[in-house]
Amino acid sequence: MGMKDQFQDKAERMQQQGKQRAEQAKEQFQNRDRRRDEDETDPSVSRRRDADERFEESYDA
């Protein structure tokens, strides 16, 4: 295998990795938005978050 082939293979692998990372980032972003929407519609989640924030504030003091 020549150097040109090696560089071409490496470039193709890097391109595939970039596409995979972009897809993962997109999924994470969508999941974060979905969780935020669910949190806003579920009052128990917001109460728990408020309690966690109060605990962290008291711990900092």
Side-chain angles (χ1 to χ4, degrees), residues 1-49:
M1 183 183 277
M3 286 183 66
K4 181 179 177 182
D5 293 333
Q6 290 177 352
F7 283 122
Q8 190 172 7
D9 288 346
K10 185 173 183 177
E12 289 172 3
R13 281 195 309 270
M14 290 176 73
Q15 190 174 26
Q16 281 299 110
Q17 289 175 351
K19 287 180 183 178
Q20 289 172 348
R21 288 184 183 140
E23 187 65 29
Q24 288 173 347
K26 182 179 174 183
E27 289 174 7
Q28 289 176 350
F29 184 73
Q30 289 173 341
N31 288 341
R32 183 174 31 212
D33 283 347
R34 191 174 305 123
R35 278 196 309 270
R36 186 180 308 131
D37 292 343
E38 290 171 358
D39 288 354
E40 290 173 355
T41 59
D42 186 356
S44 65
V45 173
S46 63
R47 283 194 303 268
R48 185 174 57 234
R49 187 183 320 116

